Amino acid sequence: MQELRDKYISAIGNAADEAALEALRLAAVGKKGEISLQMRELGKMTSEERQVAGPALNALKDEINAALAAKKAALGDAALNERLKAEWLDVTLPPRPMRQGSIHPVSQVMEEATAIFADMGFAVAEGPQVDSDWYNFDALNIPGHHPARAEMDTFYMHRAEGDNRPPHVLRTHTSPVQIRHMETNGAPCRIIAPGRVYRADYDQTHTPMFNQIEGLAIDRDISMANLKWVLEEFFSAFFEIDGIKTRFRASHFPFTEPSAEVDIQCSWEDGQLKIGQGDGWLEVLGSGMVHPKVLSAAGVDPSEWQGFAFGMGIDRIAMLKYGIPDLRAFFDSDLRWLRHYGFASLDVPTLHGGLSR
């Protein structure tokens, strides 16, 4: 880690311009940068290893970001000084108005949720948005007659005449990522799979494209009690409410057994939804113990391993946290409404590297 620090601190100090500086930022703390990739490995470490590696990586990332910011400011000052030598400038004139950027609520909530689950040891897994119907349905124990497989519910990719490849779809959930991860990495595992998903639906609470985050934990003795603890910890951190109450209702999903819908405590006061108080309940996600057939399809022995899975809509929990009434507003409205709901630039490093604004 010291070699990594010395490498980038030295390179940042020698950067000749902002283009070179940006290349160094991407190489170090970008989404696929060396430090970001090492941080993704934290979820695979033991608790003792994370206690050592986690703070060290965070400190290194903060130092690199600080060095990048300082060098960028220095390059900007140098460029300005050169311009002032050649240009005449009336510094008494008022500045031109500058537009203030805002983080989209979906992006912000995705970052928030990922950070919370990372603290609980969940690594991020990704997969293709166009996938075969085997990964999207069959491997998840969804039978051929299930309504979700109908063309009125799922977007199927066009196939030319004579194309004998398996049907492909725009994924309807991020569950195929779980199958692919278990195929490649086996068990045990603890991952979240955030990303875009697609369904042929459109109303106040549904859109054809939306964002979802799913979780998967596989080990030898995982139970529904572990699932309940993880979800309650997430809700408490996300909604910033200690001791938030949850309710599990028996349900049915082809890929989990037993299955449960999860509700959180809420109340309605003067048309305002209040999370974590009152005697009402609001459904927020589906969950359950991973079906043995799903484990088998992914190459994991269900007689040896078991685990839980859950899935929730990023857009939906953003609506709940920030009081946004219509899901469609995320995608087809004038973006000036963001300021009304309190979204502004976050001057902090994000999980993907760099400042969020």
Side-chain angles (χ1 to χ4, degrees), residues 254-320:
F255 28 79
T256 51
E257 180 59 38
S259 303
E261 302 277 7
V262 181
D263 306 331
I264 55 175
Q265 180 188 19
C266 72
S267 66
W268 288 91
E269 296 181 14
D270 300 324
Q272 292 287 327
L273 174 67
K274 296 187 178 295
I275 302 293
Q277 57 183 270
D279 53 8
W281 298 97
L282 181 68
E283 178 187 325
V284 287
L285 60 87
S287 65
M289 298 297 290
V290 180
H291 199 290
K293 290 185 178 180
V294 174
L295 294 175
S296 296
V300 174
D301 185 355
S303 66
E304 185 177 357
W305 304 95
Q306 63 187 42
F308 63 73
F310 60 85
M312 70 184 90
I314 291 292
D315 318 283
R316 177 167 173 76
I317 61 174
M319 292 172 66
L320 296 178

Side-chain angles (χ1 to χ4, degrees), residues 57-112:
L57 281 171
N58 281 320
L60 176 59
K61 185 175 180 179
D62 290 343
E63 185 176 0
I64 295 297
N65 279 321
L68 288 166
K71 184 63 177 181
K72 185 174 182 178
L75 289 172
D77 290 343
L80 179 60
N81 288 334
E82 290 299 317
R83 285 185 57 190
L84 291 177
K85 292 177 182 178
E87 296 181 7
W88 178 85
L89 178 68
D90 186 352
V91 295
T92 64
L93 292 175
R96 295 184 179 92
M98 297 180 63
R99 293 183 177 180
Q100 182 179 7
S102 295
I103 296 178
H104 194 280
V106 170
S107 300
Q108 179 165 315
V109 170
M110 190 83 79
E111 293 278 357
E112 292 174 1

Side-chain angles (χ1 to χ4, degrees), residues 123-184:
V124 175
E126 298 176 330
Q129 296 183 38
V130 177
D131 216 334
S132 71
D133 65 346
W134 190 86
Y135 281 105
N136 198 78
F137 295 121
D138 295 321
L140 294 162
N141 196 37
I142 300 175
H145 61 269
H146 196 280
R149 302 185 74 144
E151 290 189 359
M152 67 181 64
D153 286 347
T154 297
F155 295 105
Y156 281 82
M157 306 305 292
H158 175 72
R159 301 173 69 190
E161 186 176 351
D163 187 346
N164 295 320
R165 291 177 300 172
H168 279 63
V169 300
L170 292 179
R171 66 183 182 188
T172 60
H173 41 197
T174 57
S175 301
V177 177
Q178 300 178 14
I179 301 295
R180 291 179 175 275
H181 182 84
M182 287 189 286
E183 278 184 337
T184 304

Side-chain angles (χ1 to χ4, degrees), residues 4 7-9 11-13 15 17-37 60-72 75 111 348-357:
L4 204 59
K7 169 186 173 182
Y8 283 107
I9 292 296
I12 290 170
D17 51 40
E18 292 195 11
L21 195 64
E22 175 64 11
L24 286 170
R25 186 191 72 78
L26 292 174
V29 295
K31 186 175 181 180
K32 296 183 179 179
E34 289 187 77
I35 298 173
S36 299
L37 292 176
L60 176 59
K61 185 175 180 179
D62 290 343
E63 185 176 0
I64 295 297
N65 279 321
L68 288 166
K71 184 63 177 181
K72 185 174 182 178
L75 289 172
E111 293 278 357
V348 296
T350 73
L351 294 174
H352 300 302
L355 297 180
S356 60
R357 66 181 180 188

